[in-house]
Amino acid sequence: MLNSMLCHKCHRKLLATLLGRTSTTIGSLHRRLSVVFYGSDEFSLETLKVLNHDFKRHTSGDTTALITRLEVVLSSRHNIISRFAQQNQLTSHEFPYELPPKMYDLGVVSSFGYLIPNRAIKACRLGMLNIHGSLLPRWRGAAPVNYAVLHGDPITGITIMRVKPKK
């Protein structure tokens, strides 16, 4: 429960800021993005919810929405991301999914657990971002929020970094 509460608040603020900043830098897109999302757990679900909220605004005719296409790459057909994608009628692909070149503007990775192939990173025209549940480099790995709480860290947060091929 604590994990979900922390993630929800942090994700909503950071992604709203990120999406707002992205819209000012993409010029020729006129605030339109096709996004491919990689995630696998409750932490990543909060990211997907924020992205999907913007996408749903577009599908309902809101011209201020930034995301015009949202697809999901799944690590498994039996996880929380898969269920959310199905419930919200999002197009999903099982990993490893071969992304067609330049088919997406932006890739977003959150708690995925697999190394994203170089071709998938390069297939996203504006690049790919990873949302990590800690202030790196303090807690790397699969459970950074849990480690921060267990060790009584007085300050924690989320790191957003650009994913680069071979790094």
Side-chain angles (χ1 to χ4, degrees):
M1 181 65 175
L2 176 63
N3 186 14
S4 181
M5 286 179 4
L6 291 172
C7 297
H8 179 72
K9 289 179 181 178
C10 293
H11 279 83
R12 188 167 298 278
K13 287 179 183 177
L14 285 171
L15 283 174
T17 301
L18 174 68
L19 292 174
R21 285 187 186 151
T22 302
S23 68
T24 62
T25 61
I26 57 177
S28 64
L29 288 175
H30 303 291
R31 297 182 55 90
R32 307 275 185 196
L33 286 175
S34 60
V35 176
V36 61
F37 174 80
Y38 292 77
S40 63
D41 61 13
E42 287 184 32
F43 179 83
S44 58
L45 178 61
E46 296 305 322
T47 304
L48 182 56
K49 284 179 180 178
V50 172
L51 295 171
N52 187 56
H53 177 74
D54 190 80
F55 175 64
K56 291 297 181 195
R57 287 180 35 232
H58 165 73
T59 59
S60 67
D62 184 341
T63 58
T64 64
L66 178 63
I67 300 172
T68 58
R69 187 164 115 227
L70 177 61
E71 296 186 14
V72 179
V73 177
L74 306 168
S75 62
S76 165
R77 290 270 175 208
H78 307 289
N79 64 25
I80 196 165
I81 299 298
S82 175
R83 286 190 297 276
F84 182 86
Q86 187 175 20
Q87 289 167 352
N88 288 274
Q89 300 171 343
L90 295 173
T91 300
S92 61
H93 313 278
E94 197 156 353
F95 186 80
Y97 169 62
E98 192 69 33
L99 296 180
K102 306 299 181 200
M103 184 169 176
Y104 302 98
D105 295 312
L106 181 66
V108 177
V109 182
S110 179
S111 203
F112 188 63
Y114 290 99
L115 185 63
I116 307 295
N118 290 337
R119 288 196 297 193
I121 297 167
K122 291 177 182 178
C124 298
R125 199 174 63 75
L126 297 173
M128 190 172 278
L129 299 173
N130 180 33
I131 300 171
H132 184 76
S134 78
L135 296 175
L136 290 173
R138 176 93 167 124
W139 299 117
R140 299 174 163 265
V145 173
N146 298 8
Y147 289 132
V149 172
L150 287 172
H151 288 87
D153 287 0
I155 298 173
T156 190
I158 291 176
T159 301
I160 299 177
M161 64 195 119
R162 181 175 289 273
V163 177
K164 295 186 177 183
K166 299 182 183 180
K167 301 247 174 164

